[in-house]
């Protein structure tokens, strides 16, 4: 689906999220249109008649995530805690964040032993944490798998995360359309990835490639910057040195984008435009100021952690999502990747994270 296709969101405790079973790789710069009323619509099921925000059964929600050595990860933990505080019937039980696989496994084991009502886990590595998530599920604790997916579907009750392929599609359409509108032929398009070996990076690159093809364009060169500011600076400098003329750059990650933009400023280059990735507040402020090369970013929002906590609460209390007819929370929810430009940046700024 292209950025001109409208998407429909679903209300979950005041936050709009895309339903993965219905909307994937969707991008849109337009607000979702309200659904038209239909006299033939079925009556809502009892669990969907509202009241989800009212206090219910007291539940303890365990939370485990990597250490906050990255602006996006820091925002994940903050959003989860903030969402939990909205509910008087939720006791939030986070464990020490860590980038050590064995330490995260031990931390999750402690939450299982505590018999929490639900577990929200963003694993350092889905494959390596799969067994402990399965152990929780087998113990009757619903696991809400956040972002990095567990390979065994029996290891989690619901997965919620961003659309990496959709990020690439959104960036590709923005760059492709902008260059076409400018009448540019044979453009030099550069891509600065995160970590090239990760499936999420490969999905982003594939979406970007596929979208650019629809305009007859392709990536001239790409290099990974390891999701760090330092590598972003180095990689951007190398790419600019190798290409005396550039038309557009897509940088996968707004955190490493701080380094990319620093290198661009140092080089005094401004003949091209750039699109970022993830939706940091820093990037949004630059886009709003409109006094540099950064003209857009495509979202991979850490607000998914807020929604994960809300989902955990609903599942633990045996409730469904109030805007859906079904009594149960869906098994998979994929958030749409939105394109943020100066025209709509004010709408997204409150959701941005600080790099």
């Amino acid at each position: 689906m292209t950025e001109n296709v409208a998407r429909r969101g679903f209300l979950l405790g005041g936050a709009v999220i895309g339903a993965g079973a219905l909307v994937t790789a969707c991008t849109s710069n337009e607000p979702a249109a309200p659904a038209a009323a239909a006299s033939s619509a079925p009556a809502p099921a009892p669990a969907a008649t509202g009241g989800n925000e009212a206090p219910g059964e007291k539940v303890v929600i365990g939370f485990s995530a990597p250490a906050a050595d990255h602006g996006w990860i820091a925002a994940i933990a903050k959003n989860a805690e903030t969402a939990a505080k909205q509910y008087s019937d939720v006791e939030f039980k986070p464990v020490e964040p860590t980038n050590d696989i064995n330490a995260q496994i031990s931390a999750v084991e402690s939450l299982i032993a505590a018999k929490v009502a639900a577990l929200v886990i963003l694993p350092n590595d889905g494959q390596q944490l799969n067994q402990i998530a399965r152990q929780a599920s087998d113990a009757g604790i619903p696991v809400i798998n956040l972002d990095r997916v567990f390979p065994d579907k029996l290891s989690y009750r619901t997965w919620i995360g961003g659309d990496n392929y959709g990020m690439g599609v959104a960036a590709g359409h923005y760059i492709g359309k902008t260059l076409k509108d400018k009448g540019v032929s044979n453009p030099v398009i550069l891509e600065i990835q995160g970590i090239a070996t990760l499936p999420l990076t490969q999905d982003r690159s594939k979406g970007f490639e596929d979208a650019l093809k629809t305009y007859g364009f392709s990536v001239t060169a790409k290099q990974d910057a390891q999701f760090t500011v330092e590598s972003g600076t180095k990689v951007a400098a190398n790419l600019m040195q190798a290409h005396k003329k550039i038309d557009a750059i897509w940088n996968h990650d707004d955190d490493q984008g701080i380094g990319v933009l620093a290198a661009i400023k140092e080089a005094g280059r401004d003949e091209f435009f750039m699109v970022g990735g993830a939706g940091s507040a820093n990037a949004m402020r630059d886009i709003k100021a409109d006094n540099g090369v950064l003209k857009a970013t495509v979202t991979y929002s850490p607000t998914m952690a807020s929604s994960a906590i809300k989902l955990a609460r609903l599942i633990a209390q045996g409730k469904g999502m109030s805007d859906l007819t079904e009594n149960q929370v869906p098994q998979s929810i994929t958030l749409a990747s939105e394109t943020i430009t100066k025209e709509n940046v004010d709408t997204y700024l409150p959701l941005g994270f600080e790099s």
Side-chain angles (χ1 to χ4, degrees):
M1 299 177 74
T2 70
E3 62 183 293
N4 293 322
V5 180
R7 68 178 177 85
R8 181 180 175 188
F10 291 94
L11 188 64
L12 178 63
V16 176
I17 61 177
L22 303 177
V23 182
T24 57
C26 238
T27 61
S28 169
N29 290 330
E30 300 297 329
S39 58
S40 59
T49 56
N52 278 352
E53 294 300 292
E57 175 191 354
K58 183 71 176 286
V59 294
V60 179
I61 298 175
F63 178 78
S64 176
D69 56 0
H70 187 278
W72 188 87
I73 290 290
I76 283 284
K78 181 179 179 181
N79 283 337
E81 181 179 10
T82 300
K85 286 180 178 178
Q86 295 175 10
Y87 300 100
S88 60
D89 54 7
V90 169
E91 179 184 337
F92 186 56
K93 193 175 181 65
V95 290
E96 187 71 24
T98 177
N99 291 330
D100 181 271
I101 296 294
N102 291 326
Q104 188 174 23
I105 289 173
S106 295
V108 173
E109 284 176 338
S110 72
L111 292 172
I112 295 172
K115 298 181 180 179
V116 295
L119 259 173
V120 175
I121 307 176
L122 196 168
N124 275 285
D125 183 290
Q127 182 72 45
Q128 295 187 67
L129 269 293
N130 182 73
Q131 193 56 43
I132 191 63
R134 177 64 185 272
Q135 185 179 326
S137 295
D138 288 348
I141 300 173
V143 173
I144 291 74
N145 182 191
L146 181 57
D147 192 38
R148 301 170 189 171
V149 68
F150 297 120
D152 182 359
K153 286 192 175 183
L154 293 177
S155 295
Y156 60 92
R157 164 60 179 81
T158 290
W159 174 85
I160 179 169
D163 186 352
N164 287 296
Y165 180 85
M167 283 182 73
V169 170
H173 279 306
Y174 182 87
I175 287 175
K177 185 177 186 304
T178 300
L179 293 174
K180 277 291 187 183
D181 289 348
K182 289 181 176 181
V184 178
S185 58
N186 300 315
V188 175
I189 302 173
L190 306 182
E191 181 181 357
I192 301 178
Q193 302 169 305
I195 298 174
T197 56
L198 291 179
L200 68 90
T201 297
Q202 294 160 12
D203 286 345
R204 292 178 187 186
S205 290
K206 184 65 166 65
F208 190 52
E209 176 188 358
D210 288 351
L212 287 177
K213 279 181 184 177
T214 65
Y215 301 90
F217 299 150
S218 61
V219 175
T220 306
K222 61 186 174 184
Q223 189 173 342
D224 66 327
Q226 302 295 310
F227 290 123
T228 71
V229 173
E230 295 76 16
S231 290
T233 300
K234 182 178 179 181
V235 168
N238 290 341
L239 286 170
M240 286 188 291
Q241 187 173 13
H243 298 86
K244 301 308 178 186
K245 174 186 174 293
I246 301 169
D247 293 290
I249 296 176
W250 180 38
N251 165 59
H252 285 208
D253 179 72
D254 287 334
D255 278 325
Q256 74 183 19
I258 292 174
V260 172
L261 289 171
I264 292 170
K265 184 177 181 180
E266 177 68 22
R269 299 281 292 269
D270 63 1
E271 79 278 10
F272 55 85
F273 67 95
M274 179 173 132
V275 175
S280 77
N282 312 60
M284 291 189 217
R285 287 191 290 266
D286 285 346
I287 291 166
K288 184 172 181 175
D290 196 23
N291 56 9
V293 299
L294 187 63
K295 301 301 180 185
T297 188
V298 292
T299 62
Y300 196 88
S301 179
T303 58
M304 65 179 71
S306 301
S307 294
I309 294 296
K310 293 171 184 284
L311 290 170
R313 174 179 174 268
L314 293 179
I315 291 169
Q317 293 179 344
K319 299 175 182 176
M321 294 167 64
S322 59
D323 278 5
L324 297 183
T325 303
E326 291 73 23
N327 291 334
Q328 299 296 322
V329 168
Q331 191 269 342
S332 178
I333 298 174
T334 303
L335 309 186
S337 185
E338 305 287 352
T339 304
I340 302 173
T341 66
K342 65 179 181 180
E343 285 76 25
N344 64 5
V345 66
D346 285 334
T347 301
Y348 292 94
L349 259 172
L351 303 178
F353 60 94
E354 296 294 340
S355 292

